[in-house]
Amino acid sequence: MGASSELWTRAAAAAADRHTIVAIGVPSPVLMERAALACAAAIEGVRAGRSVLVLCGPGNNGGDGVAIARILHGRGVAVRVQLLADRCEGALAEQVAIAGRAGVTIGRGLPATADGVIVDAMLGTGAAPPLRAPYLAAVAWANAASATRVAVDLPTGIDADSGAVGELAFCADLTITFERSKPGLHLTPARAFVGALVVAEIGLSAGTGELSEGTGGLSAGTGGMFAGTGGLSAGGLSEGTGPGMTLLGPGAVRGWLARLPAGAHKGERGNLGIVGGSAGTPGAAVLCGATALRGGAGLVTIVSGDPTVQAQLLALRPELMVTARGEPLLPGATALVVGPGLTRAEDRVGLAGLYADDRRPAVWDASALAEIAGAKVGGPRVLTPHPAEAARLLTARTGRPWPTAEVQADRLAAARAIAAATGAVVVLKGEGSVIAEAGRIAINVSGGPSLATAGTGDCLAGLIGALLVRGLGAWEAACAGVHVHGVAGEWLAVEGRSAVALELADAIGRVLASVPTTHPRWPRAYLG
């Protein structure tokens, strides 16, 4: 893999469709046929000899579905189409007429039963939740069926841009989307409805300056072709290098980490300063520091003026150094982590000035996020809020209430807003963590529920801090740290353990020693 793969928003996908048809002159039926061929190949790979039912809506997504049924019928597959809408016109009507002449069985409404493969060709990328009749009933019926579920373009009921889900969404085992993946397919909560993901390159082209959201160039992938064999090549998508919205995976992370200097001695690996660990909560600073050491930092120094806390820190992790807070703060440190376990207000005095004036790269986490005064930054900053912290930060910085539910409903918008208000790289933590700064955004593929335990956020802050002190820029350190942290949590889950934070720190060291070349959530490629 190369750098992160492009993601197309709803508007970007529509613009590419228009450019391909209008400016280049590729007829719409040709694109529909190529999409249907890709979907038919993927369905043949999962149907295991069973029959196929295609649920079709009134638009082009429904037309895709009818074309898929015709292709499968021509290959001897037992397939039928059910039209769910009263309206049948345009591309859908053309495909229905062709399929009818080819002998495809076409009905209306939902059948009594389905026990093979159910194909969702109901609404497509252009639609957004909430669902209305008849699709609400159709999704509920399909989800209750004993069948393999396949979504065309995206599962009905999810938002292609935000990943929002209404009352119901089609729960796919396999989703085939076209040309580029969509951000909503990788964001919470929608990513739980996607299943395995295939991106079928069918010949859509954006042209120069056609795409919204600054999505950059469209480099075609170079690996992973399959043609009607049912075999899907993992990791075959090209990871484009253009700016904009991207999917964060192992290819980019391995590239960044490979550029880190080995460091012949500890002095060449940097000195990370940690401002954290109030009385009663020293453990957060210990977890942060221990992970920073596993992340390759040569020296780690924790600031604490409380003798009791100093003794606790050294007893818990003797590799760490401890010093009292002075002026200037940690002059020997080349990067900082600010906030882990910093629960007492008196320990946070002066942090607003530190954020605005200190020129060293720094990670700001936990309680320290409440001390950020504005968008002025003295040096590179990475913020690592969880959704509730993000809501509080947005409420304080934007002058209007941001409930946590609103943050979770549109994580992209929330991460962008924090980046704009603070001048920082923002890591909005959670399943499908979002990394944002002005002009670009990335969605991580790794991680999951195993990381939902106390202290794992402190480990992430320490890892990003270690990567900063070793020489990565704020964007690269944030992205690499988030991905490695997620993989480490997954490794512990595979071993049958929850991500207890100190064990997570050790697992992070193992992942850094051998970052996997692929990830199970990375989309597979079909080059049609």
Side-chain angles (χ1 to χ4, degrees):
M1 293 183 182
S4 299
S5 178
E6 292 172 289
L7 297 171
W8 281 3
T9 62
R10 181 186 296 113
D17 199 55
R18 287 192 304 272
H19 179 80
T20 305
I21 295 169
V22 177
I24 297 177
V26 179
S28 179
V30 171
L31 294 174
M32 185 168 285
E33 194 73 5
R34 296 185 74 175
L37 284 164
C39 292
I43 292 166
E44 292 244 61
V46 300
R47 75 178 188 89
R50 296 171 294 166
S51 62
V52 178
L53 169 69
V54 186
L55 302 178
C56 294
N60 284 354
N61 196 245
D64 289 339
V66 178
I68 292 165
R70 170 175 47 78
I71 292 166
L72 291 173
H73 173 78
R75 296 174 181 175
V77 176
V79 60
R80 68 185 189 275
V81 169
Q82 295 296 131
L83 302 177
L84 300 181
D86 294 334
R87 179 166 57 90
C88 182
E89 57 193 26
L92 174 63
E94 292 173 3
Q95 291 294 337
V96 167
I98 297 169
R101 291 192 293 270
V104 177
T105 301
I106 300 175
R108 288 193 174 271
L110 293 173
T113 60
D115 57 4
V117 176
I118 298 175
V119 178
D120 168 15
M122 289 183 269
L123 294 181
T125 301
L131 292 175
R132 297 185 295 273
Y135 307 107
L136 191 62
V139 167
W141 176 86
N143 286 350
S146 177
T148 297
R149 288 176 288 273
V150 178
V152 176
D153 211 5
L154 82 169
T156 293
I158 77 170
D159 188 284
D161 289 353
S162 70
V165 173
E167 180 182 346
L168 281 177
F170 185 85
C171 190
D173 299 295
L174 171 67
T175 298
I176 307 112
T177 196
F178 303 125
E179 209 63 46
R180 293 293 181 266
S181 191
K182 315 305 182 293
L185 296 173
H186 305 280
L187 290 165
T188 303
R191 80 175 195 164
F193 294 84
V194 173
L197 179 61
V198 174
V199 176
E201 295 191 13
I202 62 172
L204 293 173
S205 174
T208 304
E210 287 291 325
L211 287 184
S212 66
E213 302 289 342
T215 49
L218 301 180
S219 59
T222 56
M225 183 184 295
F226 74 97
T229 63
L232 300 179
S233 171
L237 289 181
S238 164
E239 293 185 337
T241 57
M245 194 179 304
T246 58
L247 190 63
L248 172 64
V253 171
R254 286 170 60 88
W256 290 323
L257 295 177
R259 296 202 301 267
L260 288 173
H265 58 79
K266 63 187 178 183
E268 292 181 352
R269 284 177 168 258
N271 185 346
L272 180 67
I274 298 174
V275 184
S278 292
T281 53
V286 170
L287 292 169
C288 181
T291 308
L293 291 170
R294 291 296 189 194
L299 299 165
V300 178
T301 305
I302 299 175
V303 174
S304 175
D306 188 318
T308 302
V309 173
Q310 290 182 351
Q312 289 174 319
L313 293 170
L314 292 173
L316 289 166
R317 206 79 197 199
E319 307 97 320
L320 301 172
M321 298 184 293
V322 182
T323 186
R325 189 165 179 174
E327 293 295 339
L329 179 68
L330 288 168
T334 50
L336 302 174
V337 177
V338 184
L342 209 63
T343 51
R344 297 196 314 174
E346 54 266 40
D347 293 334
R348 300 196 298 272
V349 173
L351 292 191
L354 184 70
Y355 184 87
D357 300 326
D358 193 280
R359 300 186 63 82
R360 291 171 290 186
V363 181
W364 282 62
D365 183 48
S367 301
L369 295 169
E371 307 301 323
I372 296 172
K376 180 188 174 185
V377 290
R381 299 288 182 262
V382 179
L383 313 186
T384 56
H386 58 56
E389 290 166 343
R392 291 193 290 270
L393 186 56
L394 283 166
T395 298
R397 298 273 68 81
T398 64
R400 74 166 182 86
W402 277 74
T404 302
E406 183 178 355
V407 170
Q408 289 294 77
D410 194 340
R411 290 168 56 80
L412 294 180
R416 280 195 182 106
I418 298 171
T422 61
V425 174
V426 176
V427 174
L428 180 53
K429 294 184 289 194
E431 286 195 74
S433 289
V434 176
I435 305 96
E437 71 170 350
R440 58 180 167 177
I441 199 161
I443 303 170
N444 184 44
V445 297
S446 70
S450 64
L451 292 170
T453 61
T456 58
D458 302 311
C459 293
L460 175 62
L463 174 57
I464 296 173
L467 296 175
L468 287 174
V469 85
R470 292 182 64 190
L472 288 186
W475 174 260
E476 291 81 7
C479 289
V482 167
H483 183 75
V484 168
H485 180 262
V487 173
E490 292 167 346
W491 282 14
L492 289 178
V494 168
E495 294 168 2
R497 293 184 286 169
S498 60
V500 176
L502 271 178
E503 292 182 351
L504 179 65
D506 293 337
I508 283 169
R510 290 190 281 128
V511 175
L512 284 170
S514 181
V515 178
T517 58
T518 61
H519 192 275
R521 288 199 192 93
W522 191 263
R524 292 173 284 178
Y526 174 89
L527 306 185

